[in-house]
Amino acid sequence: MTGVKELAYVVYEASSLDDWEHFAVRLLGMQLAGKTADAIALRTDRKAYRWLVRRGPADDLVASGYEVADGAALDALIERLTAAGVEVTEGDAALAASREVDRIAVTADPMGNRVELVTGFADAAAPFHSDTLLGEFVTGAGGAGHQVLLAQGVARETYLEFYEGLLGFRISDRIVEELAPGAVADLIFLRCNPRHHSVAFGDMPHPKRTHHFMVEVTDVRDVGMAYDRCMDAGQPFEMTLGMHPNDHMFSFYVRTPSGFSVEYGWGGLLVDDDAWQVRTLDRLHSWGHRPPEVVADLLARTSGKDAR
């Protein structure tokens, strides 16, 4: 089945563009691709941008752009969505130009998240350059990275019908872990290329549409250096260094100026479709990924000092 081939870009709405520029460029190592009074565009590779952050009160995800192979594949996808009763609108030339794509069709997933299906996502005129990275961001055939979205109480079979049944995603695996008596984390991970997952979903208490976006780097030293930069800058952490059991990502989680998180990682697993078997795992983290306040308390106890 012809479907999406990558998560090409994301669009966020943020109340402070200055804070976002500092966070993304100085702390994470992205390149500022463009800036106006109302928006910034951020690069992580040869593409014209991967993140658009526009001024607004939401401080949340407002659109996800998924690229398909060509116009014929987009036509087939629109036809499939329409036949299933999903409303799809062909974007006009102005919207396509603003996203720097050849064509764009707009729809929404069952949670109400705006989904933009695009062809011909443009490259930038100049090579990517970061003032801080030793290596590069991992993109290419795997797209911009991955994001974890909130199910918002929508039944799993309903959103899987959209993402798997219509957009052509494939299930990589599932993690179900009892975090505390009566509190269970249940996430499902979906891929559309060799990257272990481009999108995942969980139904958990969270004030945003998105829990986090993951960016991956080629040099493990860049994870440690970004960790130090974020710590030195006083940027709030969600989780300290650790590793996941399913995609093997070595990473940390840091809060964006908008309150959701960025996972900053290295060493993500690539999936071989011919050999892959879907599993259900019983833990979210192989090791680490502890809340910073827990780590602070443990370190204080080992040093004989009270963290409070």
PDB file of all heavy atoms in Angstrom, residues 297 300 305-308:
ATOM      1  N   ASP A 297      18.054  14.054  44.488  1.00  0.00           N
ATOM      2  CA  ASP A 297      17.904  13.529  45.841  1.00  0.00           C
ATOM      3  C   ASP A 297      18.893  12.396  46.102  1.00  0.00           C
ATOM      4  O   ASP A 297      19.526  12.334  47.163  1.00  0.00           O
ATOM      5  CB  ASP A 297      16.474  13.035  46.040  1.00  0.00           C
ATOM      6  CG  ASP A 297      16.225  12.540  47.450  1.00  0.00           C
ATOM      7  OD1 ASP A 297      16.314  13.357  48.382  1.00  0.00           O
ATOM      8  OD2 ASP A 297      15.967  11.342  47.618  1.00  0.00           O
ATOM      9  N   ALA A 300      22.360  13.843  46.500  1.00  0.00           N
ATOM     10  CA  ALA A 300      22.487  14.522  47.776  1.00  0.00           C
ATOM     11  C   ALA A 300      22.678  13.526  48.909  1.00  0.00           C
ATOM     12  O   ALA A 300      23.480  13.750  49.823  1.00  0.00           O
ATOM     13  CB  ALA A 300      21.241  15.391  48.021  1.00  0.00           C
ATOM     14  N   LYS A 305      24.375  15.218  51.892  1.00  0.00           N
ATOM     15  CA  LYS A 305      23.705  16.518  51.966  1.00  0.00           C
ATOM     16  C   LYS A 305      22.229  16.347  51.630  1.00  0.00           C
ATOM     17  O   LYS A 305      21.847  15.462  50.869  1.00  0.00           O
ATOM     18  CB  LYS A 305      24.339  17.505  51.002  1.00  0.00           C
ATOM     19  CG  LYS A 305      25.798  17.794  51.293  1.00  0.00           C
ATOM     20  CD  LYS A 305      26.378  18.739  50.245  1.00  0.00           C
ATOM     21  CE  LYS A 305      27.865  19.024  50.522  1.00  0.00           C
ATOM     22  NZ  LYS A 305      28.451  19.902  49.500  1.00  0.00           N
ATOM     23  N   ASP A 306      21.414  17.197  52.174  1.00  0.00           N
ATOM     24  CA  ASP A 306      19.978  17.189  51.911  1.00  0.00           C
ATOM     25  C   ASP A 306      19.711  17.987  50.658  1.00  0.00           C
ATOM     26  O   ASP A 306      20.036  19.169  50.598  1.00  0.00           O
ATOM     27  CB  ASP A 306      19.224  17.794  53.091  1.00  0.00           C
ATOM     28  CG  ASP A 306      17.708  17.605  52.967  1.00  0.00           C
ATOM     29  OD1 ASP A 306      17.228  17.385  51.843  1.00  0.00           O
ATOM     30  OD2 ASP A 306      17.031  17.678  54.010  1.00  0.00           O
ATOM     31  N   ALA A 307      19.108  17.330  49.619  1.00  0.00           N
ATOM     32  CA  ALA A 307      18.835  18.024  48.340  1.00  0.00           C
ATOM     33  C   ALA A 307      17.869  19.162  48.520  1.00  0.00           C
ATOM     34  O   ALA A 307      17.824  20.087  47.703  1.00  0.00           O
ATOM     35  CB  ALA A 307      18.275  17.040  47.318  1.00  0.00           C
ATOM     36  N   ARG A 308      17.073  19.143  49.573  1.00  0.00           N
ATOM     37  CA  ARG A 308      16.109  20.224  49.786  1.00  0.00           C
ATOM     38  C   ARG A 308      16.724  21.377  50.538  1.00  0.00           C
ATOM     39  O   ARG A 308      16.123  22.391  50.744  1.00  0.00           O
ATOM     40  CB  ARG A 308      14.876  19.667  50.516  1.00  0.00           C
ATOM     41  CG  ARG A 308      14.123  18.629  49.701  1.00  0.00           C
ATOM     42  CD  ARG A 308      13.122  17.856  50.552  1.00  0.00           C
ATOM     43  NE  ARG A 308      13.823  16.999  51.499  1.00  0.00           N
ATOM     44  CZ  ARG A 308      13.203  16.174  52.345  1.00  0.00           C
ATOM     45  NH1 ARG A 308      11.889  16.108  52.353  1.00  0.00           N
ATOM     46  NH2 ARG A 308      13.876  15.408  53.197  1.00  0.00           N
TER      47      ARG A 308
END
